[in-house]
Amino acid sequence: MSEPGHWFERNPLWFKTAVFYEIHLRGFYDGNDDGSGDLRGLTDKLDYLQWLGIDCLWLLPAYPSPLRDGGYDIADFFGIHADYGTIDDFRLLVEQAHQRGMRVIADLVMNHTSSDHPWFQASRTDPDGPYGDWYVWGDDDQRWGEARIIFLDSEPSNWTWDPVRGQYYWHRFFSHQPDLNYDSPEVREQMLNVLRFWLDLGLDGFRLDAVPYLYERDGTNGENLAETHEFLKRVRLEVDARYQDRVLLAEANQWPADVVEYLGDGDECHMAFHFPVMPRMFMAVRREDALPMVEILENTPAIPPTTQWGLFLRNHDELTLEMVTDEERDYLYAEYAKDPRMKLNLGIRRRLAPLLDNGREEIQLMHAILFSLPGSPVLYYGDEIGMGDNIYLGDRDGVRTPMQWTGDRNGGFSRADFAQLYLPPLMDPVYGYQAVNVEAQLRTPTSLLRWVHRFIALRQAHPVFSLGSYESLRPENPRVLAHIRRYEDDIALCAHNLSRTAQAVELDLSQFAGMVPEEMFGENPFPRIGELPYLLTFGPRGFYWFLLRSGE
């Protein structure tokens, strides 16, 4: 049994300086030639991730599942899906990652199970039995009408009739994902058992999927309820008492003021995703206007010092537009989803490079902004090489295609026959694996992959980005996003040109008069800051990161 402390110095705040990398196991690397990525395959590729500079892997669900929702429909919380391997394979992966100084967290869906789960089958066939109240049942479908329907494209109601039990059951997501009943003490205890099981195997924490919806109460919309926060505090107590240096990352797709509640007073989750900032980054770049980002960051409440935001450009889901106004949503659809196939629910199902029309400057600018903001960046597998997507595949599969390792057969993902692959790799002329792959980019000093590698190293070398305070400069030129980050004696100035044309900006840096900005990539000094506004000029989509040095 490998305890994380066995490989790492104790550091309960490791996640604050970490760069995360999200992996769809089925799509990463096939270790046993069956056409599907697996735990063995990921273990084989740990050296690549270590070279890239990744501190923590985040695995999408790998539990036994009918896979009607990409594994988020869990049929057994205590196992590994046969396609991915065994518990021993999982243990080996965690051990090998720890030896390389990397941690591993996994998705955990607390809100619901698959309708195939034995608990649900027992609940529907024996209402008076031990599992009778493990799910939320009702005699009609009228209660809790205030709760929104999340999967608008496929679900007409949050209630579904079950002919076996003769009652309706409640579900916030797909109808094949019945919600667990957290008013049952047995359910609460069993979910704590699930956490203990995986943490005992050496896992470094969990991304808690869909946590705002655990409880239902009359007269509410069933989101962010006090009871939900109480249970999460109970989970945190358990983790703190028995497991050191682990992380709980909340997936709460809510406005910042609601999301910060999931951090509590530093006694609930350690991290939470900052969902609203992400669509506004895309809006800012397309509008060439920093205001959408500046406003959302200024409206983000302070968080406890022992917690951290999780920041991302893209992930395995659609680019969600729940946290924007109707007008902003229409704008983003018009700009980024010109083909109706690109839309899903309230979002856009595309990867980073296609969203940005494969513009190298735009991709670098978005990473620079992401890495300069308060929080820990979360990269999505394949985005470091600029992988594309396939909008002709169903549901969210378009952004979950095989990782492109080489220009060889199947993109080097698998030695299985092409017809066996879980999804076809990309083969178009722009994003296909012969044009975009890890091997080719490793050989090219100027490739996106090499740039991302250097950029991660630069950020890791300067704790000011992960731990520093944030203050917006709001220059007169609205096309420039500029802010100051401070940590201990370090002061960083980050300025980003959101425009596709050259720009100049005058920054009020009078508080730093006499200091010399040193550009961080080349460690080159720029002119000393004086009393007058500081002039910077940018190429299209250009950016500067400076450390402000004392002028002696």
Side-chain angles (χ1 to χ4, degrees):
M1 174 82 71
S2 80
E3 283 301 312
H6 183 59
W7 306 113
F8 304 106
E9 291 176 29
R10 275 224 57 206
N11 177 12
L13 299 180
W14 62 267
F15 55 88
K16 293 191 70 164
T17 54
V19 173
F20 290 76
Y21 187 92
E22 179 190 359
I23 292 171
H24 176 41
L25 266 173
R26 191 178 290 281
F28 201 62
Y29 186 64
D30 177 8
N32 63 355
D33 305 340
D34 66 352
S36 184
D38 45 47
L39 290 162
R40 289 269 171 93
L42 172 53
T43 306
D44 288 346
K45 293 295 185 183
L46 288 176
D47 287 345
Y48 164 75
L49 295 168
Q50 182 184 11
W51 167 82
L52 187 57
I54 302 304
D55 301 291
C56 183
L57 315 181
W58 155 28
L59 308 182
L60 295 188
Y63 311 94
S65 163
L67 299 179
R68 294 162 72 186
D69 181 25
Y72 285 90
D73 46 336
I74 297 173
D76 175 8
F77 285 104
F78 299 97
I80 294 285
H81 193 290
D83 287 359
Y84 296 139
T86 64
I87 292 283
D88 282 342
D89 292 336
F90 180 81
R91 195 180 274 122
L92 179 68
L93 167 70
V94 171
E95 203 167 278
Q96 291 293 314
H98 286 169
Q99 287 190 25
R100 290 166 175 78
M102 291 186 288
R103 291 175 163 89
V104 184
I105 67 171
D107 258 332
L108 180 65
V109 185
M110 302 185 87
N111 180 65
H112 51 262
T113 71
S114 165
S115 54
D116 288 14
H117 198 295
W119 300 345
F120 183 71
Q121 294 302 322
S123 187
R124 65 194 294 229
T125 52
D126 186 5
D128 299 319
Y131 296 96
D133 67 345
W134 279 42
Y135 294 83
V136 182
W137 296 94
D139 291 326
D140 60 49
D141 58 359
Q142 299 308 305
R143 280 182 82 185
W144 307 322
E146 302 91 338
R148 65 194 171 108
I149 297 168
I150 294 166
F151 287 162
L152 288 164
D153 289 359
S154 53
E155 297 299 334
S157 166
N158 286 326
W159 291 100
T160 294
W161 174 255
D162 179 44
V164 176
R165 178 152 162 160
Q167 279 185 302
Y168 292 89
Y169 62 87
W170 175 256
H171 54 89
R172 287 311 299 267
F173 295 93
F174 289 119
S175 56
H176 57 77
Q177 292 169 331
D179 274 28
L180 287 162
N181 175 21
Y182 274 85
D183 284 322
S184 158
E186 288 92 353
V187 167
R188 297 196 297 270
E189 187 55 36
Q190 186 64 299
M191 293 315 286
L192 287 170
N193 285 336
V194 172
L195 287 155
R196 294 175 190 124
F197 176 81
W198 293 102
L199 295 174
D200 285 342
L201 286 173
L203 192 68
D204 296 291
F206 296 97
R207 168 189 174 268
L208 301 177
D209 180 74
V211 288
Y213 316 103
L214 300 186
Y215 285 84
E216 302 77 32
R217 289 294 179 264
D218 294 340
T220 74
N221 67 355
E223 301 180 26
N224 311 316
L225 300 182
E227 293 87 343
T228 294
H229 289 294
E230 282 169 29
F231 179 70
L232 290 172
K233 284 182 166 65
R234 168 78 186 82
V235 169
R236 174 65 180 269
L237 277 173
E238 182 75 16
V239 171
D240 284 351
R242 297 184 49 164
Y243 306 98
Q244 295 178 338
D245 299 357
R246 313 298 173 99
V247 70
L248 298 172
L249 168 55
E251 188 226 14
N253 191 353
Q254 307 280 331
W255 292 103
D258 291 323
V259 176
V260 293
E261 300 291 320
Y262 288 89
L263 303 170
D265 296 318
D267 60 352
E268 208 163 308
C269 292
H270 304 81
M271 292 181 69
F273 283 121
H274 198 318
F275 276 96
V277 84
M278 181 269 304
R280 284 172 181 78
M281 290 177 69
F282 288 94
M283 200 183 312
V285 166
R286 193 52 66 99
R287 279 189 183 165
E288 304 187 4
D289 183 356
L291 193 62
M293 289 205 61
V294 171
E295 283 184 338
I296 201 74
L297 289 163
E298 287 183 354
N299 290 328
T300 299
I303 59 175
T306 55
T307 62
Q308 182 70 300
W309 288 112
L311 303 170
F312 62 97
L313 295 172
R314 290 301 314 110
N315 62 17
H316 62 288
D317 284 337
E318 60 272 23
L319 190 163
T320 177
L321 302 180
E322 287 180 282
M323 296 298 120
V324 296
T325 65
D326 291 346
E327 184 189 354
E328 290 168 334
R329 186 177 304 126
D330 291 343
Y331 174 78
L332 284 160
Y333 274 147
E335 290 293 331
Y336 286 111
K338 291 187 166 60
D339 186 320
R341 290 186 191 87
M342 297 171 182
K343 298 181 186 177
L344 183 68
N345 300 314
L346 278 181
I348 301 172
R349 50 189 207 103
R350 304 191 70 196
R351 265 188 180 268
L352 179 65
L355 278 167
L356 299 174
D357 297 322
N358 208 25
R360 174 71 182 266
E361 285 80 16
E362 283 78 2
I363 293 171
Q364 291 183 181
L365 174 66
M366 289 290 263
H367 277 93
I369 295 171
L370 177 80
F371 276 34
S372 75
L373 295 178
S376 296
V378 182
L379 307 179
Y380 184 47
Y381 86 94
D383 280 355
E384 73 272 22
I385 57 172
M387 252 175 78
D389 52 38
N390 181 350
I391 60 171
Y392 299 97
L393 296 173
D395 194 31
R396 298 158 177 177
D397 286 343
V399 299
R400 301 181 184 182
T401 53
M403 178 70 176
Q404 294 162 204
W405 293 102
T406 68
D408 301 335
R409 179 164 64 108
N410 301 334
F413 161 75
S414 171
R415 288 184 294 273
D417 289 343
F418 176 80
Q420 273 182 279
L421 300 189
Y422 78 99
L423 284 176
L426 301 179
M427 292 178 284
D428 65 276
V430 177
Y431 298 106
Y433 59 81
Q434 285 163 325
V436 177
N437 64 68
V438 170
E439 181 185 50
Q441 293 199 18
L442 282 174
R443 290 187 189 178
T444 312
T446 55
S447 67
L448 178 63
L449 175 61
R450 288 279 186 187
W451 183 87
V452 170
H453 169 245
R454 284 197 302 275
F455 210 59
I456 290 173
L458 180 69
R459 189 183 191 277
Q460 301 294 53
H462 297 281
V464 64
F465 293 112
S466 27
L467 303 172
S469 62
Y470 164 90
E471 64 197 79
S472 174
L473 286 176
R474 299 198 76 155
E476 277 187 25
N477 184 343
R479 292 185 168 85
V480 175
L481 173 73
H483 41 256
I484 299 284
R485 305 290 312 275
R486 301 175 198 244
Y487 177 67
E488 293 180 346
D489 296 332
D490 281 347
I491 304 171
L493 163 63
C494 303
H496 311 89
N497 174 19
L498 301 170
S499 171
R500 66 194 72 154
T501 56
Q503 296 288 323
V505 70
E506 291 185 325
L507 299 175
D508 177 5
L509 301 179
S510 50
Q511 57 178 319
F512 307 113
M515 299 185 84
V516 175
E518 181 183 279
E519 198 277 326
M520 292 171 79
F521 267 96
E523 299 183 357
N524 297 314
F526 271 49
R528 183 188 305 266
I529 299 166
E531 298 302 320
L532 295 173
Y534 196 79
L535 175 68
L536 286 174
T537 56
F538 301 85
R541 310 284 199 203
F543 66 91
Y544 292 110
W545 280 12
F546 296 109
L547 273 184
L548 302 187
R549 304 282 195 193
S550 60
E552 284 84 50

